[in-house]
Amino acid sequence: FIEMRRSMDYDRLLSLATDLGYGLLESGAEIYRVEESIQRLLHAYGVAQADPFVIPNCIIVSMVTPEGVSMTRVRRMPSHGTDVDLLERYNDLCRALCREPAPLEEAEAQLLQIGQHRREYTMPVLMAAYVVATWAFVLFFGGSLRDALCGGLCGLAIGLALTAMTWLRTNLFFKSMIGAAISALLALGLTRIGLGEHSEKIIIGALMALVPGIIFTNAIRDVMAGDMVAGISKVADALLTGVSVALGTAFALGITRLLWGV
């Protein structure tokens, strides 16, 4: 390890730490976890002074080499979701490198392999997840089996709409609003033709697929950890998503009132 430190390429080390932090943040890790992982990794490779600064859409990593050279790397984070499997693999790699620092070439190869082997779900599996989740939520809120069936159909409609809008690169606000509108319209239509019994329970059960629960939970954890900027940013993101869901539902209710007078 001493010989490795003597020939250390600190520019590559900084890139490795930044890329690892990027992978963690992209997978949905909390801000404090990303900063701590970057700092521990750099310390494990002999960097005494390392100062990562992370917010939901940006990573800034600064460090000072043993020779006194200051280096900084910045990476912007686009909109992303949560991938727990990917998060665990990035976290395991960080822990392994901190316990036993590997040569940079080997560490970079392991990091690249994680990014290239992401678990991908087929379209039928994703749609089935939407159907089962919304079906269960309708039952949870007191709906009948007929309501649950309608909720599953609404969940399928949400899944198809979100997939199509993701392909069109629509932002989260409009995806949530359009998904909520389609779901509410379908729920009211199914109730009107007699398939569903309680439109309000179908709607609220289906809308649970759009509720930003993970975002809000991570926001509270960031605030409790002292990362106020990141926490407030995520809270604003969650509230904005909630507003978009409300707007989409209100639009559907208004349209049906105009058309059917109910």
Side-chain angles (χ1 to χ4, degrees):
F1 178 69
I2 296 176
E3 184 63 29
M4 183 175 67
R5 286 184 57 181
R6 289 175 181 173
S7 59
M8 180 70 66
D9 185 343
Y10 287 100
D11 186 68
R12 291 180 66 180
L13 174 61
L14 181 58
S15 295
L16 173 67
T18 305
D19 290 343
L20 179 61
Y22 185 93
L24 286 167
L25 187 60
E26 185 183 29
S27 304
E30 304 89 338
I31 297 299
Y32 74 88
R33 183 191 297 271
V34 178
E35 291 182 340
E36 185 179 272
S37 297
I38 294 173
Q39 195 168 48
R40 287 179 179 272
L41 179 65
L42 292 174
H43 286 172
Y45 278 87
V47 177
Q49 185 176 344
D51 299 295
F53 176 74
V54 181
I55 56 178
N57 59 352
C58 184
I59 297 177
I60 303 174
V61 184
S62 296
M63 73 176 195
V64 179
T65 69
E67 291 77 20
V69 180
S70 180
M71 307 175 70
T72 302
R73 188 79 78 247
V74 179
R75 289 201 65 179
R76 178 171 176 79
M77 172 62 62
S79 178
H80 59 90
T82 301
D83 189 329
V84 177
D85 176 68
L86 201 61
L87 172 58
E88 289 183 351
R89 288 194 282 156
Y90 278 123
N91 193 58
D92 290 342
L93 175 61
C94 180
R95 290 176 181 271
L97 293 177
C98 289
R99 287 194 304 267
E100 186 176 347
L104 292 181
E105 295 80 3
E106 182 180 336
E108 289 170 344
Q110 293 179 25
L111 183 62
L112 182 62
Q113 185 178 18
I114 292 176
Q116 291 178 341
H117 294 81
R118 302 190 179 198
R119 179 175 296 178
E120 299 288 344
Y121 296 98
T122 63
M123 178 66 73
V125 172
L126 290 174
M127 294 306 106
Y130 278 103
V131 171
V132 172
T134 51
W135 177 84
F137 273 120
V138 172
L139 291 178
F140 176 79
F141 289 116
S144 64
L145 288 176
R146 288 166 57 188
D147 292 334
L149 174 61
C150 294
L153 294 175
C154 292
L156 177 61
I158 290 175
L160 292 173
L162 293 182
T163 301
M165 286 183 286
T166 299
W167 183 75
L168 295 173
R169 298 185 179 180
T170 309
N171 62 47
L172 180 61
F173 183 88
F174 287 104
K175 284 198 296 186
S176 301
M177 184 170 64
I178 294 173
I182 292 174
S183 172
L185 283 172
L186 183 57
L188 292 167
L190 292 172
T191 304
R192 184 171 178 82
I193 64 176
L195 183 58
E197 296 178 314
H198 308 93
S199 60
E200 69 282 358
K201 295 177 181 179
I202 299 172
I203 292 174
I204 190 61
L207 291 183
M208 292 302 293
L210 298 170
V211 172
I214 295 179
I215 297 176
F216 191 78
T217 301
N218 284 345
I220 299 303
R221 293 189 66 177
D222 287 334
V223 170
M224 294 176 64
D227 298 309
M228 301 302 294
V229 174
I232 293 174
S233 174
K234 289 182 180 179
V235 167
D237 188 11
L239 292 177
L240 192 61
T241 303
V243 169
S244 69
V245 171
L247 287 175
T249 306
F251 173 78
L253 293 174
I255 290 294
T256 54
R257 180 167 295 180
L258 288 174
L259 295 177
W260 302 331
V262 294

